[in-house]
Amino acid sequence: MSTVQYTCVEQSCLLQRRAACETENDTVEKTARRSWHLGRIVEGAYDALDIQIEVNGVESSRRYGAFLRVLYLLQRDLDVLYGRTDLRVLAADLHQRRQLLKLEYALRALAVSVPAIKSQRLPSSTTWASVTGWLFVGEATNLYAAILYRLIQRRRPRPRDESCNLLQAYLFDAPEEVDRRWRSTIRALDEALLSQQEEKELLCGTMEAVQQLRRYVEAELK
């Protein structure tokens, strides 16, 4: 079976992404953490992204635009969740983390079409635990995107063509802020007291969101 040979940039992206899932000075065995198990599920979707990035690249404005379309489609599905007050136990600033308008601006700046709203895919269950699984995938994907963006900038600080300057249209928050948000989210998730039924719903919601993300990757990053 063939294996994907990653460039230094892609390898760095993989390592940084996985390292970011670990909390500092963690005294609990990592496999006992709820977020660790959910993170392993999300890895499958990221592996699909990594392969597409390795094969096709994302450094041109067109290819990066396709990547942003993936993010836009997922955030479109998640957007309603950022306004749910019962989810703010995971992040008090949840309503400020919406990415949809920022992504739409970035796509237009890159002259890439914004995906048409045909049918918004909402979680099949709207219980707190189920939609928390979807939110976990969304926040993890934001972290992935921020890491990838920073790596692209390091690799090509002075793009060969002016259109690549528009990669900066998607203005991520400062790396420290992205990391802080991610760590605070998984800490709150790990500390939440859930029943057995809620644990199952959380798992199902995460898997459902991952499947949706994979569909968007396959459709947009061909």
Side-chain angles (χ1 to χ4, degrees), residues 34-83:
R34 184 180 290 125
S35 61
W36 186 88
H37 290 287
L38 296 180
R40 303 287 73 75
I41 297 172
V42 179
E43 282 293 319
Y46 291 158
D47 287 342
L49 270 170
D50 289 335
I51 291 172
Q52 290 297 329
I53 289 169
E54 167 64 21
V55 172
N56 298 308
V58 292
E59 292 184 48
S60 71
S61 58
R62 183 183 66 82
R63 292 300 304 171
Y64 193 71
F67 173 68
L68 292 185
R69 279 175 61 94
V70 171
L71 300 186
Y72 180 91
L73 288 165
L74 181 65
Q75 287 296 320
R76 183 192 64 187
D77 294 339
L78 294 171
D79 192 59
V80 66
L81 302 183
Y82 286 95

Side-chain angles (χ1 to χ4, degrees), residues 97-149:
R97 298 189 185 187
R98 280 190 165 103
Q99 300 289 321
L100 200 60
L101 290 179
K102 185 188 293 185
L103 284 164
E104 181 176 346
Y105 168 79
L107 287 169
R108 295 188 187 283
L110 288 166
V112 175
S113 62
V114 177
I117 300 177
K118 296 180 179 179
S119 59
Q120 185 178 15
R121 175 60 186 267
L122 297 174
S124 59
S125 172
T126 57
T127 65
W128 186 92
S130 293
V131 298
T132 293
W134 277 73
L135 193 64
F136 176 84
V137 175
E139 289 295 292
T141 304
N142 289 340
L143 177 67
Y144 178 98
I147 291 173
L148 177 62
Y149 177 82

Side-chain angles (χ1 to χ4, degrees), residues 26 41 73 85 89 147 151 162 181 189 203 214 219 222:
D26 196 350
I41 297 172
L73 288 165
T85 57
V89 65
I147 291 173
L151 289 171
E162 290 186 5
R181 287 180 174 179
L189 182 60
L203 179 62
R214 289 182 69 99
K222 298 177 182 178

Side-chain angles (χ1 to χ4, degrees), residues 151-162:
L151 289 171
I152 289 175
Q153 296 306 301
R154 291 174 190 170
R155 186 176 186 181
R156 185 180 290 179
R158 293 183 179 178
R160 287 192 293 267
D161 61 88
E162 290 186 5

